[in-house]
Amino acid sequence: MIETNTGRTVTFGVNVDPVVVPAGELVALARAAEDSGFDLIGIQDHPYQAQFYDTWTLIAYLAANTRSITYTPNVANLGLRPPTMLAKSAATLSRLLGGRVVLGVGAGASGGPIPAMGGVDRSGRAMIEYAEQSIELMRTALRGDIVKLHTGQLDVRGYRGGPAEPVPLWVGGRMPKMLGVIGRAADGWLAPGSSYLKPAMVPRLSAAIDDAAAAVGREPASIRRIYNVQGVVGAPGAADLAGPVDAWVEWIVDWVDRLGFDGFVFWPMTDPAGQTAVFGNEVIPRVREALAARTTVAPR
């Protein structure tokens, strides 16, 4: 079923916060997401938060307790996770799970928490160079090729990557230079949360990705666009983005058509279990129906 102008079926994910609660609570939420029709679970990566579990460990645990849903860090912090080991972790987990992994990455904020945990404090040009070079290394490793790179940011002296796995690389960011990295090197753009990136801001940022892709001979439409959407299905006023099921269906179809998104990660701002159920069981099917009806050609 063609649902977007790129020919892709729209993907739906839900955020699961890595909060330190009994494991059974998080497993129940992951299973509810899987049973409600979501394709993906995204888990933020802020290991310096004492109240958060480690994201990669949690993903592995939840994946072992679910059947078919895909997982992604949203996004893995390159400031604290060396790209060679991150690729190894992603390839390993993808092979063990039969491909249920997307590697979402971001450069990581400068200052504060990263050096507090022993990471290098990068900012500006150094951060962008490190992020782009890290993506290059991870792509090489995920292909199972010889991984070697010596620059001012990275010194990898040569090893064979593997297991070779076709793990997609999605990159988060909204600053101009990071958008350039996404256009040149990423498989997908994990657009920041709608609380920070309003829909009206998206066309300008998406165009920057297109320009960067075209400049290096890539097809801009090959880059997926995934929107992190923070809100509540319910009464208006409950969050910045809140409304009944009908309103959510209209918003998402509009964002597919007008903004070019082909994926969404829903961040419930209240009652995660209840909101996950209503979004999965009511919003997602209605969106799919609306998109299917729009693309159906009436018989002559």
Side-chain angles (χ1 to χ4, degrees):
M1 180 191 301
I2 296 176
E3 295 185 348
T4 72
N5 57 11
T6 61
R8 296 191 185 99
T9 298
V10 176
T11 297
F12 289 96
V14 66
N15 172 69
V16 172
D17 283 327
V19 288
V20 178
V21 296
E25 293 183 26
L26 296 174
V27 170
L29 191 54
R31 288 176 175 169
E34 184 172 59
D35 293 341
S36 298
F38 285 94
D39 307 294
L40 178 79
I41 289 174
I43 301 179
Q44 59 183 299
D45 185 30
H46 297 287
Y48 36 77
Q49 298 283 4
Q51 72 272 26
F52 280 0
Y53 287 123
D54 172 67
T55 292
W56 267 112
T57 307
L58 179 59
I59 285 175
Y61 181 80
L62 294 179
N65 283 278
T66 49
R67 304 177 306 277
S68 59
I69 199 162
T70 294
Y71 290 84
T72 187
N74 191 9
V75 288
N77 190 325
L78 285 170
L80 289 170
R81 300 187 186 274
T84 50
M85 286 304 301
L86 194 54
K88 185 75 172 185
S89 297
T92 299
L93 196 56
S94 179
R95 180 64 64 90
L96 293 172
L97 295 175
R100 292 194 286 139
V101 174
V102 172
L103 183 48
V105 299
S110 61
I114 289 177
M117 289 192 78
V120 176
D121 187 7
R122 297 180 178 88
S123 61
R125 183 174 181 177
M127 178 191 290
I128 298 302
E129 289 177 349
Y130 177 72
E132 189 156 16
Q133 291 166 16
S134 294
I135 294 169
E136 177 185 342
L137 282 179
M138 290 186 288
R139 282 202 180 283
T140 303
L142 291 168
R143 289 195 303 267
D145 294 337
I146 298 296
V147 186
K148 188 174 183 179
L149 185 67
H150 177 72
T151 69
Q153 298 296 332
L154 288 156
D155 184 13
V156 179
R157 302 185 181 188
Y159 74 100
R160 178 168 290 283
E165 279 289 300
V167 179
L169 270 164
W170 295 353
V171 178
R174 61 173 178 165
M175 302 306 290
K177 290 184 179 178
M178 200 64 196
L179 296 172
V181 173
I182 293 166
R184 291 189 294 272
D187 296 314
W189 175 36
L190 275 163
S194 56
S195 296
Y196 309 97
L197 181 64
K198 305 296 185 184
M201 301 166 62
V202 169
R204 175 174 57 84
L205 275 61
S206 192
I209 293 172
D210 291 348
D211 291 344
V216 295
R218 299 186 73 199
E219 173 53 58
S222 70
I223 302 168
R224 296 205 63 170
R225 319 290 165 114
I226 302 93
Y227 199 11
N228 284 288
V229 181
Q230 297 155 322
V232 172
V233 184
D240 286 345
L241 193 61
V245 170
D246 287 348
W248 277 93
V249 173
E250 290 179 10
W251 293 336
I252 292 173
V253 171
D254 175 59
W255 295 335
V256 170
D257 288 341
R258 185 169 54 87
L259 303 182
F261 284 115
D262 53 28
F264 300 89
V265 178
F266 175 55
W267 292 58
M269 302 306 289
T270 184
D271 182 19
Q275 287 287 298
T276 295
V278 71
F279 195 98
N281 290 318
E282 298 186 40
V283 175
I284 292 176
R286 291 274 304 279
V287 170
R288 294 205 183 281
E289 289 172 7
L291 292 171
R294 182 202 59 190
T295 57
T296 299
V297 178
R300 295 183 180 182

